[in-house]
Amino acid sequence: MNPQILEALCTDFTAIYQCDLIQDTINIVRFDKGTHTDMAIQTMDPYTLHSFHKMIQYFENLYIQDSAQESLWKEFEPHALMEKLKDNPIYCYHCRLKPNQNGNEYHSFRAIKTNASTSSFEVVIGVKVMDDLMEKQYKNEKRLQQLLEEKKHQKEELEIAYKQASEEDSILLALCNDYSVVYVCDLEKDDLKVIKDTNPHIASGSEFKYSTTLDIYSKIQAIYKGNESYVEKLERTNLIQAMKDRDELSLQFCINKDQANPSYMETRVVKIKSDTGFKIILGSRHIDDIVKEREEQNKQLNEALKKRAHI
């Protein structure tokens, strides 16, 4: 054997063989204790130990099937191996074998063509243990899988957050166009954030307690008088219960009922998802024009019905 090839193989390989594929011979150049070669020497007769195809069959019997690759025999059968080494002087094959006495399972077989003629085809085969590399690869793959799962989870969370934010923005935009007062409220936390308010002293972005804000409004006599049920429905615990099974709630009330020019208001409550369960967007607006139009329509309808009755 070429001393340079032997020296190069001895640094990494646990077993080295010198073979002639045409003559069907194999000589064990070196091996480590506890390897499959060591087990073969202890259990096999000299004829089998010096027959290339018999030794390959020995390793084939130790081979653990992997659907991702061909069996060891199909790769190292003499004619198949000669075909692989015809144009390329080196061929490598990785496989998993039954554990040896050292507990090693993953191995790499490297075949190197050294000489070829019509009567002989000489190769050197080195066997290298790959368990440490496979364990490292397994850990890397496991870590990669964890990172992919984390990334997928983060992506899903971002998509949910984006969807919720888009939903909230869309509702806010719609309500801000139609309603003069718009609040975002987290009833569980008793939080209220001002988005829009007609009161010049209440700035957009101001934050208050929902229950405190409602209490202030309920003390305004013009609002509370005659609208007790309206205020009661907006109380925090009542509103939480009411919105559990619905997505939207519309309430109407009248200010200054007992005066010459009463004013009509509508409060619209829209539920949106949040980390704590749900939040609400609350919008209020004057609906005097809507009420007057409705009253005018009812008046015209009643007059039409009266005329029809006379006919």
Side-chain angles (χ1 to χ4, degrees), residues 70-308:
E70 293 289 349
S71 71
L72 191 145
W73 172 254
K74 286 184 178 180
E75 296 294 303
F76 274 79
E77 180 272 324
H79 293 291
L81 187 56
M82 282 190 284
E83 186 64 27
K84 287 179 173 60
L85 294 172
K86 183 171 66 175
D87 299 320
N88 193 337
I90 299 175
Y91 172 66
C92 293
Y93 173 77
H94 305 294
C95 66
R96 184 184 179 192
L97 304 176
K98 295 175 183 177
N100 58 26
Q101 292 177 355
N102 295 329
N104 303 126
E105 295 182 53
Y106 295 94
H107 295 76
S108 172
F109 286 73
R110 178 176 293 183
I112 303 170
K113 180 172 68 175
T114 56
N115 188 40
S117 66
T118 55
S119 59
S120 69
F121 197 106
E122 297 177 2
V123 298
V124 174
I125 296 176
V127 182
K128 182 178 180 180
V129 172
M130 303 287 288
D131 286 59
D132 290 344
L133 182 63
M134 290 302 295
E135 184 179 358
K136 185 178 179 180
Q137 181 178 336
Y138 171 76
K139 288 180 179 178
N140 288 340
E141 287 178 356
K142 188 175 180 181
R143 178 57 182 156
L144 177 61
Q145 188 63 34
Q146 287 176 341
L147 290 172
L148 290 173
E149 289 293 331
E150 289 172 6
K151 187 176 180 181
K152 181 183 176 183
H153 184 64
Q154 289 172 356
K155 183 181 178 183
E156 289 172 350
E157 286 185 333
L158 285 172
E159 286 175 350
I160 292 170
Y162 177 76
K163 185 178 179 181
Q164 290 176 356
S166 299
E167 179 188 24
E168 183 175 333
D169 290 343
S170 299
I171 295 171
L172 282 174
L173 182 62
L175 290 178
C176 283
N177 286 334
D178 293 334
Y179 290 78
S180 56
V181 175
V182 179
Y183 301 147
V184 174
C185 311
D186 189 326
L187 299 176
E188 290 290 345
K189 296 180 178 179
D190 195 24
D191 291 339
L192 178 148
K193 183 177 181 180
V194 177
I195 303 300
K196 181 181 180 183
D197 200 300
T198 53
N199 189 330
H201 301 293
I202 301 177
S204 175
S206 301
E207 296 183 1
F208 305 97
K209 289 296 180 184
Y210 175 86
S211 55
T212 304
T213 306
L214 182 63
D215 188 49
I216 291 171
Y217 277 105
S218 65
K219 288 178 180 178
I220 300 173
Q221 192 64 20
I223 294 177
Y224 186 74
K225 189 176 180 181
N227 296 307
E228 292 84 354
S229 63
Y230 164 81
V231 175
E232 185 179 350
K233 287 177 182 177
L234 288 178
E235 285 181 359
R236 192 169 69 91
T237 52
N238 293 339
L239 194 53
I240 289 173
Q241 192 62 35
M243 296 304 293
K244 278 184 178 178
D245 300 321
R246 65 174 73 191
D247 295 324
E248 193 173 339
L249 177 66
S250 182
L251 302 171
Q252 294 181 5
F253 65 101
C254 180
I255 299 174
N256 299 322
K257 277 186 178 181
D258 55 351
Q259 294 186 16
N261 295 310
S263 181
Y264 295 91
M265 300 285 295
E266 178 196 29
T267 296
R268 189 174 180 185
V269 182
V270 181
K271 181 171 70 175
I272 56 173
K273 293 179 181 178
S274 73
D275 296 337
T276 56
F278 69 87
K279 294 189 293 185
I280 62 165
I281 299 177
L282 189 150
S284 287
R285 64 176 176 175
H286 286 277
I287 54 171
D288 292 340
D289 293 342
I290 296 173
V291 172
K292 286 177 182 178
E293 183 180 351
R294 190 187 303 153
E295 288 177 348
E296 184 62 29
Q297 289 173 348
N298 288 335
K299 183 180 177 181
Q300 291 174 2
L301 178 61
N302 288 331
E303 288 175 355
L305 290 172
K306 285 178 183 180
K307 289 178 181 179
R308 182 178 178 183

Side-chain angles (χ1 to χ4, degrees), residues 16-33:
I16 300 170
Y17 313 103
Q18 189 166 10
C19 317
D20 191 317
L21 304 184
I22 293 177
Q23 298 298 324
D24 190 34
T25 61
I26 182 169
N27 292 313
I28 301 171
V29 178
R30 70 171 296 276
F31 66 93
D32 289 353
K33 292 291 183 181

